[in-house]
Amino acid sequence: MQQNVNLSAIVLAAGRGTRMKSRKAKVLHQAGGQALVEHVLDAAEASVPPSRITVVVGHQADQVRALLASRSCNFVTQTEQHGTGHAVAICESIAPKDGFTLLLYGDCPLLSASTIASLVKAQQQGGFAATLITTMLDQPDGYGRIVRAPDDSVAAIVEQKAATEEQKKIREINSGIYCIDSQLLWQFVGKLTPNPASGEIYLTDIVELLRAAGHRVAALVLDDPSEILGINQRIELAEADRILRARKTRQLMLDGVTIFQPETVAIDSAVQVGQDTVIGPFTQILGKTKIGSDCTIGAGSVIRDSVIADNVVVSEYCFVGTSTVETGARIGPFSRLRMENHVEAGAHVGNFVELKKTRFGAGAKAMHLAYLGDSVIGAGVNIGAGTITCNYDGVHKHQTNIGDNVFVGSNSTLVAPLNIEASSYIAAGSVITDLVPTDALALGRSRQTNKPGWVTNKRRKS
Ligand code: UD1
Ligand code: CA
């Protein structure tokens, strides 16, 4: 989408969000895998250059600024929240005065970039002082109501608290998304006065001020109200999350990804998935995860901030966190790639195997019941069931290195720091504490002794 040099934006994100009943500022709450205010900025940045975006912060200002630090937008601090009109007014010293200004609320995360573009177009072509987005709701409770003038332009926005019984029946509501002639905005926003009932300065009152001065305000009525859902409490947060996730799975399906029972699947906005990958029900694919083509992600698996190459199978009920999995590898079912692992091409990690900070070589196998931590495991290694790297001595973590084509027998205890050189064998049930040289067999257990007739003797005595 094209950025418009004549356009600027103000995003209001200073409010506490009392109705959330949270210790955390409302705009920091997440839906669809990112904070509400991030969604609003993503949509705004499609039309407005970041240097022309001002974010009003207040409640937990430091956290909101930190979250948005990588974006080159500007910030204004509203120390006391005296209402949406006050929040805009305090931007006067830094906000651009030319062209049009978009006014956006940080608690409306579903607004799309294309709807912003339509609003800007309507404002540019309509010749009104301002254009605002409205929609019809069957249950308009909580929103400001749109009062229409006889000529069908917008006469006023009446807040729920101030509305008469008759006005409460109006189904057309204010989305809180406006595009306004910047000169008129700065001419009139300072003239807003506190609402007598609440003491807050309402941005919405600017409509009446503009009209009184002979200007006209238009509305862009959206058919689909889901885009302008304002999050005031957690029930709406869950609804926004559901809608964002449905949008994401829909887009992926349109792009050639198979998703079964998509309504049970949670995929964060930034996730990328390649063509012909099949995603099972009840999966979660989170953060900055990137999945290649022709993969299978089995039911119930959770993948976070990881990179999965092409042709990988992550079967049912696996967890993969901050790890890389190369082409053709097979993970699961029931595997845990806890953190910072690198599974090379064609390797197999089976059920109840945990990997932590481990590089697992090409074609290597650990099919059942193992813990491999802080280790570098070569190509073609076979890790028997029950193998454990003892990487922690109670104070420090230590490294285990296993060379190519090593065979580690079942139930081996590998006490780190440890080097097991290429092509060696570890006998089952061994406790290995010292270097194992190339091609050697290491036995680290006591020899079996059989006592013939022992049971017969025991029986005779009793
Ligand atoms: C507002 C509108 C209402 C509209 C609704 C749409 C006003 C007076 N009312 O009501 O017409 O239907 O949004 O969702 O504008 N904020 C600040 N500083 C403040 C107050 C608020 O930055 O002093 C921010 C909040 O963080 C929030 C946004 O402005 O992101 C909206 O504030 P909120 O209190 O949620 O307004 P509503 O009552 O929902
Ligand atoms: Ca709101």
Side-chain angles (χ1 to χ4, degrees), residues 400-413:
T400 301
N401 298 311
I402 303 180
D404 292 347
N405 301 313
V406 167
F407 181 94
V408 179
S410 295
N411 222 29
S412 293
T413 303

Side-chain angles (χ1 to χ4, degrees), residues 10 12 56 78 81-91 103 105 178 185-186 188-193 200-206:
I10 295 175
L12 304 192
V56 183
Q78 188 192 24
Q81 286 81 57
H82 294 304
T84 48
H86 175 252
V88 173
I90 61 166
C91 297
L103 303 174
Y105 292 168
Y178 325 77
L185 171 66
W186 300 114
F188 285 94
V189 78
K191 298 193 167 80
L192 291 169
T193 50
E200 282 191 26
I201 299 174
Y202 291 157
L203 177 61
T204 42
D205 289 344
I206 203 166

Side-chain angles (χ1 to χ4, degrees), residues 342-356:
H342 190 128
V343 176
E344 293 182 12
H348 286 202
V349 178
N351 44 254
F352 309 108
V353 173
E354 176 182 346
L355 263 52
K356 191 217 84 177

Side-chain angles (χ1 to χ4, degrees), residues 121-179:
K121 199 169 160 206
Q123 170 64 13
Q124 279 167 338
Q125 293 175 349
F128 292 89
T131 308
L132 53 99
I133 292 179
T134 70
T135 196
M136 302 294 176
L137 291 186
D138 292 336
Q139 290 178 321
D141 284 350
Y143 289 96
R145 308 295 205 283
I146 303 295
V147 179
R148 292 277 185 166
D151 67 358
D152 210 36
S153 68
V154 178
I157 302 170
V158 185
E159 290 306 298
Q160 165 95 14
K161 281 183 207 154
T164 62
E165 284 311 311
E166 214 41 47
Q167 287 168 332
K168 280 184 188 157
K169 289 186 193 139
I170 298 174
R171 286 180 51 232
E172 186 177 18
I173 61 100
N174 172 29
S175 67
I177 302 150
Y178 325 77
C179 185

Side-chain angles (χ1 to χ4, degrees), residues 19 26 84 105-108 142-143 175 229-233 236:
R19 289 163 281 183
K26 176 166 68 178
T84 48
Y105 292 168
D107 66 350
C108 292
Y143 289 96
S175 67
L229 175 71
I231 311 304
N232 294 321
Q233 39 143 319
E236 290 145 356

Side-chain angles (χ1 to χ4, degrees), residues 321-343:
T322 59
S323 295
T324 299
V325 180
E326 288 186 21
T327 315
R330 301 175 74 90
I331 312 293
F334 301 103
S335 308
R336 181 180 186 202
L337 271 54
R338 177 143 59 108
M339 62 199 274
E340 294 171 43
N341 300 292
H342 190 128
V343 176

